[in-house]
Amino acid sequence: MSDTNGQSKPPVGTLGEDFVEWACHAPFGKDFLFRGQKYRAAGNNEIELCDLLLLLDDTAVLIEVKTADREKRPNRTDEDWSGWANARLKKALSQIERGVNAIRSGLVKAVENERQGQVPVDAARIKHFYGIAIVDHPQLDKIGKGPTINIGGVSVSVLTTTHAELSDLLTELSTPGDLIEYLQAREAFFEKHILMGITELDLLAVYKSDPDQFRRNVADHDDFIIGEGCWEEFSKLEARKQRDEMDKPSLLVDAIIDILHEARHAKLPHIEERRARLEQPVDRREAYAKIAAELAKIRRIDRRLIGEGIIEKSQKCIEQKRDRWFASSPMTRDAATIVFMVSTSSREERMKSLQMLAMGAMLKFNVHRVVGIATEPFMGGLGFSVDAFTIAGDPEEYLKAMSPEMREHLLKQFGTPRKPDITEFGGPAGPTPNGAGQSWK
């Protein structure tokens, strides 16, 4: 069948993949999403890795999409569609298993997208694999532990969902960091517990009500039963509706990633001078990707706190007519500490100041990797430039090499780190949907 312009309508499977890719762009960005990647297998045959791949540092999430063509089959019953969905889910699981095997065995040499270009894939570096199977079917209750693929001693947990509930999932898991943390928590849940006739969204609602408490309950209790209605109650929470307003400052972090991407190839004098002083040449794409990856790991709630910090320091920078800064401690052990500096100085001067601050953060927090980010004061509605770099090294060695005066000066640039006592809903204790159906012992 052709449309009015005489052009063939894309296959329904392509339209479904288009939808999923589009839905994932907003929460996950375009840097670390790779669609329809191919690799060469035995016999030099070209095989698709998966419909959509999220590859971030040491974590790979393989996504398969199965979309029903309901126009061609209008007379199918719900039972018929259920049979179709289960068959397609089985196929999706086999494709995810094949894709994980291909990566682990080194068959996938590189992946490519418009944002990063070609990205080498180091099989030894990828430590965590997850699958997501999106099957076009009305919402299904789930019983049991959910699909798990065992590949050479590695267990790969697969989240199964539908096109209809995908937007709700991505609203709650609105950054790569949030998605990966949920997949980790979900995997731990299924190691000990089962679902009893509820949906994926019910499980997500209990997790989102208090992620830390969810993880503690999973670890500490042998029985953790989630009843019906959790998502229905959670979705009605007024605090959830207010969250979008509270999250507005977090979009500054999203904007910083975009600005860094747009300027990654710019040959600015202060950047070229810095690169010239380095002992080894810098790969511009790799340098940008490393910083973007650190920012992508940051959860939405932490992006909000960072955004609020940038706004606060911007106001003080203008009022006090001096540079202001703060450090964001890593949320995970393998993440970098990030120093954010707001300055009205020239970009050359603020980079020099940021270099010292980054070193101070490395020493103060005893970390081996620091990302430094400098901007002008944020004045709502106006654009701003971003300069960024990464330093890595052993803080103990740096301490030994510098004078006591310099050491004292650098250590004084930051106070004692503290963990914010706040949830994404604005209070010290997250709202729970009336404890809907939750019990543990």
Side-chain angles (χ1 to χ4, degrees), residues 163-225:
H163 295 61
E165 69 182 17
L166 181 63
S167 61
D168 287 322
L169 279 166
L170 298 183
T171 296
E172 297 305 320
L173 307 171
S174 63
T175 71
D178 286 292
L179 173 68
I180 292 169
E181 281 205 358
Y182 175 64
L183 293 176
Q184 291 171 342
R186 183 181 181 279
E187 183 178 45
F189 173 87
F190 283 118
E191 287 177 358
K192 296 173 59 178
H193 310 286
I194 63 173
L195 296 182
M196 297 295 292
I198 65 170
T199 70
E200 184 70 44
L201 291 179
D202 288 323
L203 178 64
L204 178 64
V206 175
Y207 169 82
K208 289 292 289 188
S209 294
D210 191 332
D212 291 337
Q213 185 63 49
F214 179 91
R215 283 186 281 265
R216 286 193 293 268
N217 287 338
V218 166
D220 296 343
H221 302 287
D222 292 330
D223 293 321
F224 186 178
I225 300 172

Side-chain angles (χ1 to χ4, degrees), residues 7 14 21 32 40 57 83 184 195 244 264 280 287 323 344 359 381 394 441:
Q7 296 177 334
T14 300
E21 182 184 26
F32 305 102
R40 297 282 179 183
D57 265 4
Q184 291 171 342
L195 296 182
D244 288 346
R264 69 197 187 285
Q280 296 180 340
D323 297 346
T344 56
M359 181 63 69
D394 185 344
K441 63 180 181 180

Side-chain angles (χ1 to χ4, degrees), residues 115-372:
R115 189 86 167 188
Q116 283 201 67
Q118 192 171 85
V119 178
V121 175
D122 181 357
R125 189 172 180 229
I126 302 176
K127 307 298 183 185
H128 308 285
F129 289 92
Y130 299 98
I132 298 178
I134 303 169
V135 181
D136 190 2
H137 191 282
Q139 194 174 63
L140 295 175
D141 292 343
K142 297 181 181 178
I143 298 177
K145 289 182 173 291
T148 300
I149 301 169
N150 293 304
I151 305 171
V154 176
S155 178
V156 178
S157 177
V158 180
L159 184 157
T160 61
T161 186
T162 68
H163 295 61
E165 69 182 17
L166 181 63
S167 61
D168 287 322
L169 279 166
L170 298 183
T171 296
E172 297 305 320
L173 307 171
S174 63
T175 71
D178 286 292
L179 173 68
I180 292 169
E181 281 205 358
Y182 175 64
L183 293 176
Q184 291 171 342
R186 183 181 181 279
E187 183 178 45
F189 173 87
F190 283 118
E191 287 177 358
K192 296 173 59 178
H193 310 286
I194 63 173
L195 296 182
M196 297 295 292
I198 65 170
T199 70
E200 184 70 44
L201 291 179
D202 288 323
L203 178 64
L204 178 64
V206 175
Y207 169 82
K208 289 292 289 188
S209 294
D210 191 332
D212 291 337
Q213 185 63 49
F214 179 91
R215 283 186 281 265
R216 286 193 293 268
N217 287 338
V218 166
D220 296 343
H221 302 287
D222 292 330
D223 293 321
F224 186 178
I225 300 172
I226 299 173
E228 298 178 8
C230 294
W231 175 256
E232 184 177 352
E233 293 297 325
F234 180 79
S235 63
K236 295 176 183 177
L237 288 174
E238 187 62 31
R240 183 173 179 260
K241 299 175 184 177
Q242 296 169 350
R243 180 181 57 190
D244 288 346
E245 187 66 27
M246 292 188 290
D247 275 343
K248 283 184 177 179
S250 74
L251 300 179
L252 278 173
V253 177
D254 301 46
I256 286 172
I257 297 175
D258 285 335
I259 292 170
L260 286 173
H261 168 75
E262 292 164 3
R264 69 197 187 285
H265 295 311
K267 294 188 176 182
L268 303 173
H270 67 290
I271 298 296
E272 295 305 308
E273 180 184 347
R274 172 181 168 79
R275 285 177 173 150
R277 294 197 304 267
L278 299 177
E279 295 181 359
Q280 296 180 340
V282 175
D283 182 323
R284 294 171 187 268
R285 187 211 63 79
E286 184 179 355
Y288 157 73
K290 284 182 177 179
I291 294 173
E294 294 296 345
L295 293 171
K297 294 177 190 175
I298 303 173
R299 301 173 304 172
R300 181 60 61 191
I301 186 174
D302 300 312
R303 294 189 190 199
R304 182 201 300 174
L305 294 172
I306 289 169
E308 290 172 348
I310 293 174
I311 293 171
E312 176 194 351
K313 298 303 181 185
S314 294
Q315 293 170 343
K316 290 184 177 180
C317 176
I318 294 172
E319 292 169 0
Q320 300 172 3
K321 295 181 172 58
R322 67 184 182 91
D323 297 346
R324 298 306 304 260
W325 60 85
F326 65 96
S328 175
S329 298
M331 296 299 110
T332 58
R333 183 175 297 179
D334 63 338
T337 291
I338 306 179
V339 175
F340 294 88
M341 185 182 79
V342 181
S343 174
T344 56
S345 301
S346 68
R347 296 181 70 171
E348 180 180 7
E349 288 301 316
R350 75 188 191 191
M351 282 287 277
K352 293 178 181 177
S353 300
L354 184 61
Q355 178 80 32
M356 298 299 291
L357 290 173
M359 181 63 69
M362 176 177 284
L363 303 183
K364 179 70 176 183
F365 306 123
N366 192 33
V367 293
H368 287 74
R369 196 165 77 259
V370 178
V371 173

Side-chain angles (χ1 to χ4, degrees), residues 408-419:
E408 182 180 4
H409 171 73
L410 292 177
L411 291 174
K412 286 171 61 176
Q413 301 308 307
F414 298 93
T416 302
R418 59 183 178 83
K419 182 179 180 180

